[in-house]
Amino acid sequence: MTVQSSTFHANTPLAHLAEADLITGARQGQEASVRELVRRMNPRLFRVARGIVASDAEAEDIVQEAYLKAFTRLDSFRGEAQFSTWITRITINCARMHLRRAHPQQDYDTVAEDDRQASAILAFPGQHPDRPEVALGRAQMRVYLEDAVAQLPRDLRLPFLMFESEDMSIRAIARDLQLNPITVKTRLFRARRRLRQSLEARLKGGFEAIFPFDGARCACMADRVVAALQNTKRL
């Protein structure tokens, strides 16, 4: 990317621009476009990374690495898939490489669980806002929910977060993780079964509020990505 002096979409608020327009701006070296793409993608990419690795700090490092790989290779993005799909795959690959470096002998695509004990599927609420009277209860439970989800094996945690928190379809999850849709369904079933005992009595809402990545954390990530791109003369 090379810095351009043009006023690309100068009169249009960035939050209202289509993704394709922001990518054009990022290719032209526009910092504002990069920041807006980071702002939009942060929640999903953080949850995807956190679904694979064991800590928030590792997830943040992986998301930053994924951004740098994506923004320094925008010329290779042909638009055959959505940008969100493309960068999600980059994030998954970065997270898996991180695990392989840390534990080279471990298999990260195998779910080891005893299937002999049948269990009813726990039906979790969807992505709709709660009634006002339960909003406070949900906020107070978030830490508990995050801990419970964090205890899931990573091969169950990642599709669970993608499905419950990011509202991705089973087909989309299967595509991004390169799994059979039936495998995705099985892992979601197992994740729900694992969580049922600890959450059933207290669950008040959906999972869209857990592992948030917004506010100051979101702005800090944008600052780090922009600074790294500037250091490599990409902005």
Side-chain angles (χ1 to χ4, degrees):
M1 292 185 290
T2 56
V3 177
Q4 301 290 323
S5 60
S6 62
T7 55
F8 173 76
H9 293 291
N11 297 321
T12 305
L14 287 174
H16 297 161
L17 288 181
E19 188 176 86
D21 293 330
L22 292 172
I23 293 167
T24 298
R27 281 180 168 146
Q28 293 176 352
Q30 294 196 0
E31 178 180 326
S33 293
V34 171
R35 287 182 176 276
E36 177 62 17
L37 285 169
V38 169
R39 185 192 69 79
R40 292 186 188 185
M41 293 306 307
N42 267 340
R44 169 176 290 192
L45 299 188
F46 179 75
R47 282 170 172 156
V48 165
R50 189 62 179 81
I52 297 174
V53 299
S55 72
D56 286 4
E58 288 177 290
E60 286 195 39
D61 288 343
I62 286 163
V63 171
Q64 181 176 341
E65 179 184 354
Y67 280 132
L68 294 180
K69 287 187 175 181
F71 287 124
T72 56
R73 301 176 186 175
L74 273 180
D75 289 343
S76 68
F77 175 63
R78 304 301 182 188
E80 297 172 355
Q82 291 185 341
F83 178 77
S84 56
T85 298
W86 183 68
I87 197 169
T88 295
R89 289 173 180 169
I90 292 174
T91 304
I92 291 169
N93 288 336
C94 287
R96 287 176 171 169
M97 287 302 298
H98 171 85
L99 291 179
R100 290 190 184 104
R101 288 193 296 267
H103 307 285
Q105 303 303 319
Q106 189 170 346
D107 183 358
Y108 298 106
D109 194 32
T110 299
V111 177
E113 184 174 347
D114 188 350
D115 290 321
R116 291 174 295 176
Q117 298 298 323
S119 175
I121 295 178
L122 174 62
F124 288 97
Q127 305 298 313
H128 304 294
D130 286 325
R131 299 186 303 276
E133 61 268 24
V134 300
L136 178 60
R138 284 190 58 214
Q140 293 171 336
M141 287 181 62
R142 199 193 81 199
V143 172
Y144 175 81
L145 292 173
E146 287 186 353
D147 181 67
V149 174
Q151 298 307 311
L152 290 171
R154 65 177 62 91
D155 291 317
L156 303 183
R157 187 171 66 235
L158 176 56
F160 183 85
L161 285 172
M162 295 172 82
F163 185 79
E164 294 289 353
S165 299
E166 288 303 317
D167 200 25
M168 295 176 67
S169 69
I170 287 174
R171 185 179 298 275
I173 296 169
R175 177 198 62 210
D176 287 354
L177 299 184
Q178 298 182 325
L179 295 172
N180 188 299
I182 294 176
T183 302
V184 174
K185 290 181 180 179
T186 299
R187 294 186 183 188
L188 290 173
F189 172 84
R190 293 176 180 174
R192 290 183 176 116
R193 186 171 63 184
R194 289 272 186 120
L195 290 168
R196 182 181 182 185
Q197 188 174 19
S198 61
L199 299 181
E200 192 173 42
R202 297 195 286 171
L203 187 63
K204 299 296 183 182
F207 283 81
E208 69 275 10
I210 69 172
F211 295 127
F213 201 82
D214 50 18
R217 295 174 79 193
C218 181
C220 182
M221 176 62 72
D223 290 342
R224 287 158 57 186
V225 171
V226 166
L229 291 172
Q230 288 172 340
N231 286 339
T232 59
K233 310 300 183 183
R234 297 286 181 169
L235 280 179

